[in-house]
Amino acid sequence: MTDDTAPDMFDRRMLEALICPRSHAVLEYDAEAQELISRQSGLAYPIRNGIPVLLVDEARTLDA
């Protein structure tokens, strides 16, 4: 099994299909924090067990 198939690893190819639910902007992947970042909305969406949680209520506000 390679690192790309690890169960808690986010598949970066999904980024092409995912957008921020608030702004509809493209998301950036932060591998270290396991988050998807929407700079336009100022939110960071968590990735849990390799699954992005794209709920505004679950997102963390980015520091200014």
Side-chain angles (χ1 to χ4, degrees):
M1 183 180 331
T2 65
D3 288 342
D4 291 336
T5 59
D8 58 355
M9 188 81 153
F10 177 69
D11 185 352
R12 293 179 190 197
R13 293 173 294 182
M14 268 201 283
L15 275 178
E16 297 171 12
L18 298 176
I19 59 171
C20 173
R22 177 177 280 169
S23 67
H24 301 138
V26 175
L27 297 167
E28 299 173 30
Y29 176 50
D30 181 342
E32 186 175 316
Q34 284 297 291
E35 294 178 324
L36 294 175
I37 308 296
S38 172
R39 302 255 178 236
Q40 190 171 351
S41 292
L43 296 173
Y45 297 95
I47 299 172
R48 296 185 185 130
N49 298 318
I51 301 169
V53 180
L54 296 177
L55 300 171
V56 174
D57 291 344
E58 295 286 324
R60 174 179 69 78
T61 304
L62 296 176
D63 299 330

Coordinates of all heavy atoms in Angstrom, one line a residue:
M1 N 0.9 -1.2 0.0 CA 0.0 0.0 0.0 C 0.9 1.2 0.0 O 1.8 1.3 0.8 CB -0.9 0.0 1.2 CG -1.9 1.2 1.2 SD -3.1 1.4 2.6 CE -3.4 -0.2 3.2
T2 N 0.6 2.2 -0.9 CA 1.4 3.4 -0.9 C 0.8 4.4 0.0 O -0.3 4.3 0.5 CB 1.4 4.0 -2.3 OG1 0.1 4.4 -2.7 CG2 2.0 3.0 -3.3
D3 N 1.5 5.5 0.2 CA 1.0 6.6 1.1 C -0.3 7.2 0.5 O -1.1 7.7 1.3 CB 2.1 7.7 1.3 CG 3.2 7.2 2.2 OD1 3.0 6.3 2.9 OD2 4.2 7.9 2.1
D4 N -0.4 7.2 -0.8 CA -1.6 7.8 -1.4 C -2.9 7.0 -1.1 O -4.0 7.6 -1.3 CB -1.5 7.9 -3.0 CG -0.4 8.9 -3.4 OD1 -0.1 9.8 -2.6 OD2 0.2 8.7 -4.5
T5 N -2.8 5.8 -0.7 CA -4.0 5.0 -0.4 C -4.2 4.8 1.1 O -5.1 4.1 1.5 CB -3.9 3.6 -1.1 OG1 -2.7 3.0 -0.6 CG2 -3.8 3.7 -2.6
A6 N -3.5 5.5 1.9 CA -3.6 5.4 3.4 C -5.0 5.9 3.7 O -5.5 6.9 3.2 CB -2.6 6.2 4.1
P7 N -5.8 5.2 4.6 CA -7.1 5.6 4.9 C -7.3 7.0 5.4 O -8.4 7.6 5.2 CB -7.6 4.6 6.0 CG -6.4 3.9 6.4 CD -5.3 4.1 5.4
D8 N -6.4 7.6 6.1 CA -6.6 8.9 6.7 C -5.9 10.0 5.8 O -5.8 11.1 6.1 CB -6.0 9.0 8.1 CG -4.6 8.7 8.2 OD1 -4.0 8.3 7.2 OD2 -4.0 8.8 9.3
M9 N -5.5 9.6 4.6 CA -4.9 10.5 3.6 C -5.9 11.1 2.7 O -6.8 10.4 2.2 CB -3.8 9.8 2.8 CG -3.0 10.6 2.0 SD -1.7 11.3 3.0 CE -0.4 11.6 1.8
F10 N -5.9 12.4 2.5 CA -6.8 13.1 1.6 C -6.3 13.0 0.2 O -5.2 13.2 -0.1 CB -6.9 14.6 2.0 CG -7.7 15.4 1.1 CD1 -9.1 15.2 1.1 CD2 -7.2 16.3 0.3 CE1 -9.9 16.0 0.3 CE2 -8.0 17.1 -0.5 CZ -9.3 16.9 -0.5
D11 N -7.2 12.6 -0.7 CA -6.9 12.5 -2.1 C -6.9 13.9 -2.8 O -8.0 14.5 -3.0 CB -7.9 11.6 -2.8 CG -7.6 11.3 -4.3 OD1 -6.7 11.9 -4.8 OD2 -8.3 10.4 -4.8
R12 N -5.8 14.4 -3.1 CA -5.7 15.7 -3.7 C -6.4 15.9 -5.0 O -6.8 17.0 -5.3 CB -4.2 16.1 -3.8 CG -3.5 16.2 -2.5 CD -2.0 16.5 -2.7 NE -1.3 16.4 -1.5 CZ -0.2 16.9 -1.2 NH1 0.4 17.6 -2.1 NH2 0.4 16.7 0.0
R13 N -6.7 14.8 -5.7 CA -7.4 15.0 -6.9 C -8.9 15.4 -6.7 O -9.5 16.0 -7.6 CB -7.4 13.6 -7.7 CG -6.0 13.2 -8.2 CD -6.1 11.9 -8.8 NE -6.3 10.9 -7.6 CZ -6.4 9.6 -7.8 NH1 -6.2 9.1 -8.9 NH2 -6.6 8.9 -6.7
M14 N -9.4 15.2 -5.4 CA -10.7 15.7 -5.1 C -10.8 17.2 -5.1 O -11.9 17.8 -5.3 CB -11.1 15.2 -3.7 CG -11.8 13.9 -3.7 SD -12.8 13.7 -2.2 CE -11.5 13.2 -1.0
L15 N -9.7 17.9 -4.9 CA -9.7 19.4 -4.9 C -10.3 20.0 -6.2 O -10.9 21.0 -6.2 CB -8.3 19.9 -4.7 CG -7.8 20.0 -3.3 CD1 -6.4 20.6 -3.3 CD2 -8.7 20.9 -2.5
E16 N -10.2 19.3 -7.3 CA -10.7 19.7 -8.6 C -12.2 19.8 -8.5 O -12.8 20.6 -9.2 CB -10.2 18.8 -9.7 CG -8.7 18.8 -9.9 CD -8.3 17.8 -10.9 OE1 -9.1 17.2 -11.6 OE2 -7.1 17.5 -10.9
A17 N -12.9 19.0 -7.7 CA -14.3 19.0 -7.6 C -14.9 19.7 -6.4 O -16.1 20.0 -6.4 CB -14.8 17.5 -7.6
L18 N -14.1 20.0 -5.4 CA -14.6 20.6 -4.2 C -14.4 22.1 -4.2 O -13.4 22.7 -4.7 CB -13.8 20.1 -3.0 CG -14.0 18.6 -2.8 CD1 -13.1 18.2 -1.6 CD2 -15.4 18.2 -2.5
I19 N -15.5 22.8 -3.7 CA -15.4 24.3 -3.6 C -16.0 24.6 -2.2 O -16.7 23.8 -1.6 CB -16.3 25.0 -4.7 CG1 -17.7 24.5 -4.6 CG2 -15.7 24.8 -6.1 CD1 -18.6 25.3 -5.5
C20 N -15.7 25.8 -1.8 CA -16.2 26.3 -0.5 C -17.7 26.5 -0.6 O -18.2 27.1 -1.5 CB -15.5 27.7 -0.2 SG -16.2 28.5 1.2
P21 N -18.4 25.9 0.4 CA -19.9 26.1 0.3 C -20.4 27.5 0.5 O -21.5 27.8 0.1 CB -20.4 25.1 1.4 CG -19.2 24.9 2.3 CD -18.0 25.1 1.5
R22 N -19.6 28.3 1.1 CA -20.0 29.7 1.4 C -19.7 30.6 0.2 O -20.6 31.3 -0.3 CB -19.4 30.3 2.6 CG -19.7 31.8 2.9 CD -19.2 32.3 4.1 NE -20.0 31.9 5.2 CZ -19.7 32.0 6.5 NH1 -18.5 32.6 6.8 NH2 -20.4 31.6 7.4
S23 N -18.5 30.6 -0.3 CA -18.1 31.5 -1.3 C -18.0 30.9 -2.7 O -17.9 31.6 -3.7 CB -16.7 32.1 -1.0 OG -15.7 31.0 -1.1
H24 N -18.0 29.6 -2.8 CA -17.9 28.8 -4.0 C -16.5 29.0 -4.7 O -16.3 28.8 -5.8 CB -19.0 29.2 -5.0 CG -20.4 28.9 -4.5 ND1 -21.4 29.7 -4.7 CD2 -20.8 27.9 -3.7 CE1 -22.5 29.3 -4.1 NE2 -22.1 28.1 -3.5
A25 N -15.6 29.4 -3.8 CA -14.2 29.6 -4.2 C -13.4 28.3 -4.2 O -13.8 27.3 -3.5 CB -13.5 30.6 -3.3
V26 N -12.3 28.2 -4.9 CA -11.4 27.0 -4.9 C -10.8 26.9 -3.6 O -10.5 27.9 -2.9 CB -10.3 27.2 -6.0 CG1 -9.3 26.1 -6.0 CG2 -11.0 27.3 -7.4
L27 N -10.6 25.7 -3.1 CA -10.0 25.4 -1.8 C -8.6 25.0 -2.0 O -8.2 24.4 -2.9 CB -10.8 24.2 -1.1 CG -12.3 24.5 -0.8 CD1 -13.0 23.2 -0.5 CD2 -12.4 25.5 0.2
E28 N -7.8 25.4 -0.9 CA -6.4 25.0 -0.9 C -6.2 23.9 0.2 O -6.9 23.9 1.2 CB -5.5 26.2 -0.4 CG -5.5 27.3 -1.4 CD -4.8 28.5 -0.7 OE1 -3.9 28.3 0.0 OE2 -5.2 29.7 -1.1
Y29 N -5.4 22.9 -0.1 CA -5.1 21.8 0.8 C -4.0 22.1 1.7 O -2.9 22.4 1.2 CB -4.9 20.5 0.0 CG -4.6 19.3 0.8 CD1 -5.3 18.9 1.9 CD2 -3.5 18.5 0.5 CE1 -5.0 17.8 2.6 CE2 -3.2 17.4 1.2 CZ -4.0 17.0 2.3 OH -3.7 15.9 3.0
D30 N -4.2 22.0 3.0 CA -3.1 22.2 4.0 C -2.9 20.8 4.6 O -3.6 20.3 5.5 CB -3.5 23.2 5.1 CG -2.4 23.4 6.1 OD1 -1.5 22.6 6.2 OD2 -2.5 24.4 6.8
A31 N -1.9 20.1 4.1 CA -1.6 18.7 4.5 C -1.2 18.6 6.0 O -1.6 17.7 6.7 CB -0.5 18.1 3.7
E32 N -0.5 19.6 6.5 CA 0.0 19.5 7.9 C -1.2 19.6 8.9 O -1.3 18.9 9.8 CB 1.0 20.6 8.1 CG 1.6 20.6 9.5 CD 2.7 21.6 9.7 OE1 3.5 21.8 8.8 OE2 2.7 22.3 10.7
A33 N -2.1 20.6 8.6 CA -3.2 20.8 9.5 C -4.4 19.9 9.1 O -5.4 19.9 9.9 CB -3.7 22.3 9.4
Q34 N -4.3 19.2 8.0 CA -5.5 18.4 7.5 C -6.7 19.2 7.4 O -7.8 18.9 8.0 CB -5.7 17.1 8.4 CG -4.6 16.0 8.1 CD -4.7 15.5 6.7 OE1 -5.7 14.9 6.3 NE2 -3.7 15.8 5.9
E35 N -6.6 20.3 6.6 CA -7.7 21.2 6.4 C -7.8 21.6 4.9 O -6.8 21.6 4.2 CB -7.6 22.5 7.2 CG -7.6 22.3 8.7 CD -7.4 23.5 9.5 OE1 -6.6 24.4 9.1 OE2 -8.0 23.7 10.6
L36 N -9.0 22.1 4.5 CA -9.1 22.7 3.2 C -9.4 24.2 3.5 O -10.3 24.5 4.3 CB -10.3 22.1 2.5 CG -10.1 20.6 2.0 CD1 -11.3 20.1 1.4 CD2 -8.9 20.5 1.1
I37 N -8.6 25.0 2.9 CA -8.7 26.5 3.2 C -9.4 27.2 2.1 O -9.1 27.1 0.9 CB -7.2 27.0 3.3 CG1 -6.4 26.2 4.2 CG2 -7.2 28.5 3.6 CD1 -6.8 26.2 5.7
S38 N -10.3 28.1 2.5 CA -11.0 29.0 1.6 C -10.5 30.4 2.1 O -11.0 31.0 3.0 CB -12.5 28.9 1.7 OG -13.1 30.0 1.0
R39 N -9.6 31.0 1.3 CA -9.1 32.3 1.6 C -10.2 33.4 1.4 O -10.3 34.3 2.2 CB -7.9 32.6 0.7 CG -6.8 31.7 0.9 CD -5.6 32.2 1.7 NE -4.6 31.2 1.8 CZ -4.1 30.7 3.0 NH1 -4.6 31.3 4.1 NH2 -3.2 29.8 3.0
Q40 N -11.0 33.2 0.4 CA -12.1 34.1 0.2 C -13.1 34.2 1.3 O -13.5 35.3 1.7 CB -12.8 33.8 -1.1 CG -13.7 34.8 -1.6 CD -14.3 34.5 -3.0 OE1 -13.8 33.6 -3.7 NE2 -15.2 35.3 -3.4
S41 N -13.4 33.1 1.9 CA -14.3 33.1 3.0 C -13.7 33.2 4.4 O -14.3 33.5 5.4 CB -15.1 31.8 3.1 OG -16.0 31.7 2.0
G42 N -12.3 33.0 4.4 CA -11.6 33.1 5.7 C -11.9 31.9 6.6 O -11.9 32.0 7.8
L43 N -12.1 30.7 6.0 CA -12.5 29.5 6.7 C -11.6 28.4 6.4 O -11.0 28.3 5.3 CB -13.9 29.1 6.4 CG -15.0 30.1 6.8 CD1 -16.4 29.6 6.2 CD2 -15.1 30.3 8.3
A44 N -11.4 27.5 7.4 CA -10.6 26.3 7.2 C -11.5 25.1 7.5 O -12.0 25.0 8.7 CB -9.4 26.3 8.1
Y45 N -11.8 24.2 6.5 CA -12.7 23.1 6.7 C -11.8 21.9 7.1 O -10.8 21.6 6.5 CB -13.4 22.8 5.5 CG -14.3 23.9 5.1 CD1 -13.9 24.9 4.1 CD2 -15.6 24.0 5.6 CE1 -14.8 25.9 3.8 CE2 -16.5 25.1 5.2 CZ -16.0 26.0 4.3 OH -16.8 27.1 4.0
P46 N -12.2 21.2 8.2 CA -11.4 20.0 8.6 C -11.5 18.8 7.7 O -12.5 18.7 7.0 CB -12.0 19.7 10.0 CG -13.5 20.1 9.9 CD -13.4 21.3 9.0
I47 N -10.5 18.0 7.7 CA -10.5 16.7 7.0 C -10.4 15.7 8.1 O -9.4 15.6 8.8 CB -9.4 16.6 6.0 CG1 -9.5 17.7 4.9 CG2 -9.4 15.2 5.4 CD1 -8.3 17.7 4.0
R48 N -11.4 14.8 8.2 CA -11.5 13.8 9.3 C -11.5 12.4 8.6 O -12.4 12.1 7.8 CB -12.7 14.0 10.2 CG -12.7 15.3 10.9 CD -13.8 15.4 11.9 NE -13.8 16.8 12.5 CZ -14.9 17.6 12.5 NH1 -16.0 17.2 12.0 NH2 -14.8 18.8 13.1
N49 N -10.5 11.6 9.0 CA -10.4 10.3 8.4 C -10.4 10.3 6.9 O -11.0 9.4 6.3 CB -11.5 9.4 8.9 CG -11.5 9.2 10.4 OD1 -10.4 9.0 11.0 ND2 -12.6 9.3 11.1
G50 N -9.7 11.3 6.3 CA -9.6 11.4 4.9 C -10.8 12.0 4.2 O -10.9 12.1 3.0
I51 N -11.9 12.4 5.0 CA -13.1 12.9 4.4 C -13.2 14.4 4.7 O -13.2 14.8 5.9 CB -14.3 12.2 4.9 CG1 -14.2 10.7 4.6 CG2 -15.6 12.7 4.4 CD1 -15.2 9.8 5.3
P52 N -13.3 15.3 3.7 CA -13.5 16.7 4.0 C -14.9 17.0 4.6 O -15.9 16.4 4.1 CB -13.4 17.4 2.6 CG -13.2 16.3 1.6 CD -13.2 15.0 2.3
V53 N -14.9 17.8 5.6 CA -16.2 18.2 6.2 C -16.5 19.6 5.8 O -16.0 20.5 6.4 CB -16.1 18.1 7.8 CG1 -17.4 18.5 8.4 CG2 -15.7 16.6 8.2
L54 N -17.3 19.7 4.8 CA -17.5 21.0 4.2 C -18.8 21.7 4.7 O -19.7 22.0 4.0 CB -17.6 20.9 2.6 CG -16.3 20.5 2.0 CD1 -16.4 20.3 0.5 CD2 -15.2 21.5 2.3
L55 N -18.8 21.8 6.0 CA -20.0 22.4 6.7 C -19.4 23.7 7.3 O -18.5 23.7 8.1 CB -20.5 21.5 7.8 CG -21.1 20.2 7.3 CD1 -21.4 19.3 8.5 CD2 -22.3 20.4 6.4
V56 N -20.1 24.8 7.0 CA -19.6 26.1 7.6 C -19.6 26.1 9.1 O -18.7 26.6 9.7 CB -20.5 27.3 7.0 CG1 -20.2 28.6 7.7 CG2 -20.4 27.4 5.5
D57 N -20.6 25.4 9.7 CA -20.6 25.3 11.2 C -19.4 24.5 11.8 O -19.1 24.7 12.9 CB -21.9 24.7 11.6 CG -23.1 25.5 11.4 OD1 -23.0 26.8 11.2 OD2 -24.2 25.0 11.4
E58 N -18.8 23.7 11.0 CA -17.7 22.9 11.4 C -16.3 23.6 11.1 O -15.3 23.1 11.6 CB -17.7 21.5 10.8 CG -18.9 20.7 11.2 CD -18.7 20.1 12.6 OE1 -17.6 19.8 13.0 OE2 -19.8 20.0 13.3
A59 N -16.3 24.6 10.3 CA -15.1 25.3 9.8 C -14.5 26.1 10.9 O -15.2 26.7 11.8 CB -15.4 26.1 8.6
R60 N -13.2 26.3 10.8 CA -12.5 27.2 11.7 C -12.2 28.5 11.0 O -11.9 28.5 9.8 CB -11.1 26.5 12.1 CG -10.2 27.3 12.9 CD -8.9 26.5 13.1 NE -8.1 26.3 12.0 CZ -7.3 27.2 11.4 NH1 -7.2 28.4 11.9 NH2 -6.6 26.9 10.3
T61 N -12.4 29.6 11.7 CA -12.1 30.9 11.2 C -10.6 31.1 11.1 O -9.9 30.9 12.1 CB -12.7 32.0 12.0 OG1 -14.1 31.8 12.1 CG2 -12.5 33.4 11.4
L62 N -10.1 31.6 9.9 CA -8.7 31.8 9.8 C -8.3 33.1 10.5 O -9.1 34.0 10.6 CB -8.4 32.0 8.3 CG -8.6 30.8 7.4 CD1 -8.3 31.2 5.9 CD2 -7.7 29.6 7.8
D63 N -7.1 33.0 11.0 CA -6.5 34.2 11.7 C -6.3 35.3 10.7 O -5.8 35.0 9.6 CB -5.2 33.9 12.5 CG -5.4 32.8 13.5 OD1 -6.6 32.8 14.1 OD2 -4.5 32.0 13.8
A64 N -6.5 36.5 11.1 CA -6.4 37.6 10.1 C -4.9 38.0 9.9 O -4.0 37.7 10.4 CB -7.1 38.9 10.6

